[in-house]
Amino acid sequence: MSEEQIKSLEKQFEARIARDEKIEPKDWMPEKYRKTHIRQMSQHAHSEIVGMLPEGNWITRAPSLRRKVALLAKVQDEAGHGLYLYSATETLGISREEMYEQLHTGKAKYSSIFNYPTITWADMGAIGWLVDGAAIINQVPLCNTSYGPYARAMIRVCKEESFHQRQGYEIMIKLANGTPEQKEMAQDALNRWWWPSLMMLGPTDAESIHTEQSMKWKLKRKSNDDLRQQFIDQTVPQAELIGLTIPDPDLKWNEERKSYDFGAIDWDEFWQVVKGHGPMNKVRMKARVDAWENGKWVRDAAMAHAEKKQERKEKQAV
Amino acid sequence: MKNENLYNYILGIADNSLILGQRLGELTGHGPSLETDIACTNISLDLFGQVRSYFQYAAKIAGDERTEDDIAMLRKEREYKNVLLVEQPNTNFAYTLGRQFLFDVYHLAFLKELQKSADLTLSAIANKCIKEVSYHERFSSDWVKRLGDGTEESRAKMQEAINDLWTYTDELFHQTEADKTMVAEGIGVDVTKLKEAYYKNVSDLLLESTLEVPESKYFQKGGKQGIHTEHLGYLLSDLQYMQRTYPNMEW
Amino acid sequence: MSTKNWPLWEVFVRSKNGLEHRHCGSLHAADEDMALENARDVYTRRSEGVSIWVVESKHITASNPENNGEMFEPAQDKVYRHPTFYDLPDEVKHM
C-alpha cells in the first residue's frame, strides 16, 4: 500500500471513530491503533490477574464464612475479568502466552497499586472500597470505547464488578461501627491505601503521555486529573459517613469549584513502584511466574490427552 | 444439648466440605491456567455454601448463642471430624485433583443416600448439594483422565498422588458412634454399604486413565475421631486466625 | 512431549429457552469437554445460561470487511422486501 493510500485509510478510520462507529477485529486499522490497544488492554488484563494476589492472600483467613465466600467470588471474578480482557486482546493478533511472557519479563506493566501488601483484614475493605472505586471510575467510560471487543468485555466487567465496591465498603462499615480496635484497623487501612489509590489513576496530565491520541480513540474519556478529582469528591463523603478520616491535612471543600482541594501526591513513590521497586513487586511477579511454570506440565498433559483422544476418534471413524 | 448425636453427625459431614473448601481456596490465583483457577474456585464456593447450610442447621439444633462461624472457626483441633483425606495439602495439581476425585466419588454416593434421610432438612440440603457434587465428580474425573493419560510426566505425577492418597480412602467408610445412632434412626447414611461400589468406580476410572490401582492394604484413620495429620493444625491456624485474635467481634 | 498451547474456543450461551444462543466471549481449552466445562465455570457463574455451545475458533469462517460493499450494500436498495414499501388505504389499520 502506498503512503498516500494509508493516509486516506487512516482518515476514513478516524472519521468512523468520530461518528461513534465501532472497530471490529478484522477491520483495517492503523498499526498504532493495534499496538496501543494491545498495550492498554493487556495491561488491563494483567492488572486483573495480579490484582487477585493481594486479596487472595486473605481468603484462608477471612473472619466469617459469609466474608469468605464473598471474597472468593470477588477474586474469582478478577480471574474472569482477566480472561475476558485477554480474549479481547487476542483478537488483535497476540496470544495469551505472548502476553504472559511480556508480563513475566517485566516488559508489560500492571496497575501499581497491587504492589502494596495486604497486612490486615481491613485491607480487604479498603481495596474493595477505594481500589475498586477508582477502577470503576476508569472503567465505566471504556464500555463505550471504539474497539468493539474491548467495549463488550468492559460491559461484562462493569456489570459484574458492581458488587465488588459494595463488598469492600460493607467490610469498612462493619469495622468502623465495631470495637475501637476494629475502627482503628479500618482507619489504618484507609491511611495506607488512600494515597496509592489516588496514584492509581495515573500521573498528572502534565506528565501523562499518550493522552491526546487515547482520547480520540475513546480509550480515555477524561484526563487523569479529572478522574482523580471525581474519585476524591465521591469518596470523601463516604468516609465521613462512617466516621473515618481521609489522611490528608490539606483536604478542604472548595465552594467555588464545588470540589475538594487536596494535598500534594508523592510522585516519587509512584514512579518507584512503577519502575519495579514497590514493597511487593518481586513477590507478586514470582507468584505469577510460579503459577505459570508449575502449571506447564498440567497444560501439556491436557493437550497431549486431547490429541490422543482425537487420534482414537479418527481411527474409529476409519 | 437435646440432640447431640444429630449435631455431631452434621458436623462430621460438614467438616469434610469445610476443610476441602479451605484447601481449594488456597489455590485461587495460583492455578495452572485462568480457566482452571476459576473452576477450582467454583468448587470451593460450592463447598462453603454447603458448609453454611449444615452449620446453620447445626446451630439451630444446638439452640444456644452459637453461630455458623463459631462452629466453623472456634473449635479445637481434636474437635474437627473431617476425614484425613480432605486435609492433605496441595502438593501439586495431581494431588489437588486426586484428592478431589477420591473424595467426590464418595461424596456423591453419600449424598444420594442422604437424600433419603428421615431428617427433612438434611435431605433437602443433600438434594441441593447433589447437583453441585455431580459436577465436581465429573470435573475431577475428567482431570484424572487427562493427567493419567496425558504425558509420561503427568502420568507419573498422577500415579504418585493416587498412591499417596490411597491410604486415606478406607477411612471414608468407617462408622462413628454418632453414625450408628443416626443410621438406626433412619437419619444417617450407612457408609459401610458404599464401600464396594466406591472402590469399583474409582478403580474403573483409574484403569481408564491408564493408571494402576494401588494394591496397598495399609490405611490411615483417625480424622473422624479428631486425630488428624500434622497438616490440619496449620490449616486451622489460618482458618481461625481472625476469630482467635479478635474474639467476640462482628465482621 | 507436546508444548502446544490450549487452542481458543468461542462460547455461545442461551440465556433461557425460547431465546437464541448468543456469542458471549472466548476461552482456552485443550478439548471440547474442557471447553464446555470452562465455559460453564467462566460464563454462567451468575446463572446466565441454560445451554452452551462451544466451537474452536479456527473452525469459524468469517466474511472479510473489505468485501462489505459487495456483500452487504446490494441489499440496501431492495426496499420492496420490507412491508413499509407497500401502500395501504388508511382504513386498513392492521395488516
Side-chain angles (χ1 to χ4, degrees), chain A residues 138-172:
Chain A
N138 238 333
Q139 288 174 353
V140 168
L142 285 174
C143 296
N144 221 352
T145 190
S146 66
Y147 188 54
Y150 194 20
R152 288 192 289 275
M154 288 317 299
I155 288 171
R156 191 171 265 276
V157 168
C158 287
K159 214 163 98 189
E160 297 188 351
E161 274 202 355
S162 52
F163 96 81
H164 293 185
Q165 198 189 9
R166 283 183 185 209
Q167 181 257 172
Y169 192 55
E170 195 193 81
I171 290 174
M172 290 307 251

Side-chain angles (χ1 to χ4, degrees), chain B residues 209-237:
Chain B
S209 315
T210 71
L211 294 164
E212 283 167 23
V213 180
E215 281 171 12
S216 168
K217 297 280 181 251
Y218 298 106
F219 295 106
Q220 301 298 319
K221 59 177 195 285
K224 289 183 174 180
Q225 283 73 38
I227 303 167
H228 292 276
T229 59
E230 290 179 354
H231 301 297
L232 187 70
Y234 297 99
L235 181 148
L236 292 181
S237 50

